[in-house]
Amino acid sequence: MYKKLLFPLAASAMLGGCANNAPLIAPDQLATPANITCIQLPEAMTAVDEAGILKLVTETRLERGPYVSEKVDADGTYYRAPQGGISMFQPGNPGAKRGYNDGGFYIPNDPQKMPYIYMYTSMDGVPHEAPAAGVGCADVGYAKDPVTKKISVGLMAAVGGAGGVAGRAAVKHSSLSYGQAAAGGAIAGALVAYLVNQEMGKISPVTLVKDKAVLGKLREMSLQAVPVAPQQGAATSPAGAAPQ
């Protein structure tokens, strides 16, 4: 319960509480996009800002990879980074360590408004798992649970082995595995990198990030968002089953 209440310790201690002064947003109160889209960051982007009364330089980095639309509100769309894809660091702060977090960036519908970066509140950092070289939006797919209608989004990979589970967890603590082979034979693929439906805390806009070059580039890249296709053969672990 308490793990969902704060920023990761490293980030909150490093920034002295200056990372965020905007209201937290409960993701379960936001809608899933009617059409899931993806924005590819071909390389990492680093926003550089000054934070706090000491004006320490803070670097906020968005790692390379596919960023997938996970939530929408009346004013825009939240694009989720691959696991641990958002990190913060103060190079001038002795002993500071880069802390990786789940999150992404928000693109307002109004083209006159700037995007912002967001993170999910948690007491723990998240290990960064970089997509393999060359992996991008073309490799992303999604599957919908036929019962709950919940959508899982991830990277696609071939899976073999008739009549059994090609199973290990793609991401620690997730319920999403490499998938299951159908009784009649192997499925074509499975979601292997959990991007959207992990258990999360609340969305926290990172208001200190005001680097216009980086935010402007995100706005520009959003104009080239591509649709994500449903994967009929993809499978996730059964509800409540622990991944192997």
Side-chain angles (χ1 to χ4, degrees):
M1 225 19 198
Y2 296 102
K3 285 190 173 184
K4 306 304 177 192
L5 299 181
L6 301 171
F7 269 112
L9 287 176
S12 60
M14 177 183 72
L15 299 174
C18 297
N20 172 64
N21 55 18
L24 300 180
I25 302 163
D28 59 2
Q29 295 180 3
L30 299 173
T32 299
N35 298 297
I36 297 176
T37 56
C38 180
I39 298 172
Q40 178 70 20
L41 267 61
E43 57 187 23
M45 299 173 63
T46 301
V48 179
D49 297 273
E50 292 183 340
I53 59 174
L54 298 179
K55 300 296 183 182
L56 292 176
V57 172
T58 299
E59 297 178 354
T60 306
R61 188 165 72 198
L62 292 80
E63 300 292 346
R64 65 174 175 81
Y67 285 62
V68 181
S69 61
E70 62 166 340
K71 296 290 183 181
V72 294
D73 60 20
D75 299 315
T77 303
Y78 295 83
Y79 281 89
R80 173 81 162 272
Q83 177 176 306
I86 308 298
S87 65
M88 304 185 78
F89 179 66
Q90 286 185 328
N93 188 351
K97 296 181 180 180
R98 182 174 294 279
Y100 292 91
N101 307 280
D102 277 320
F105 54 80
Y106 177 83
I107 301 294
N109 296 331
D110 185 345
Q112 300 304 313
K113 294 183 178 180
M114 293 293 278
Y116 65 75
I117 295 171
Y118 67 91
M119 296 194 298
Y120 280 94
T121 58
S122 172
M123 287 293 287
D124 298 319
V126 178
H128 170 52
E129 294 193 3
V135 169
C137 289
D139 304 292
V140 175
Y142 73 87
K144 181 180 290 187
D145 187 295
V147 177
T148 66
K149 306 302 181 183
K150 186 176 183 181
I151 292 175
S152 294
V153 179
L155 304 178
M156 300 300 298
V159 177
V165 176
R168 75 173 178 83
V171 174
K172 186 178 181 181
H173 303 314
S174 84
S175 61
L176 191 63
S177 79
Y178 275 118
Q180 299 170 218
I187 62 174
L191 302 173
V192 299
Y194 204 31
L195 297 179
V196 171
N197 278 329
Q198 289 173 286
E199 183 183 359
M200 285 293 169
K202 292 186 177 181
I203 291 172
S204 181
V206 185
T207 56
L208 71 83
V209 180
K210 302 183 186 299
D211 188 321
K212 292 183 178 180
V214 168
L215 299 181
K217 183 64 175 178
L218 292 176
R219 164 60 75 185
E220 179 182 325
M221 296 173 73
S222 73
L223 300 177
Q224 300 179 17
V226 297
V228 172
Q231 302 295 321
Q232 300 300 327
T236 60
S237 298
Q244 302 297 316

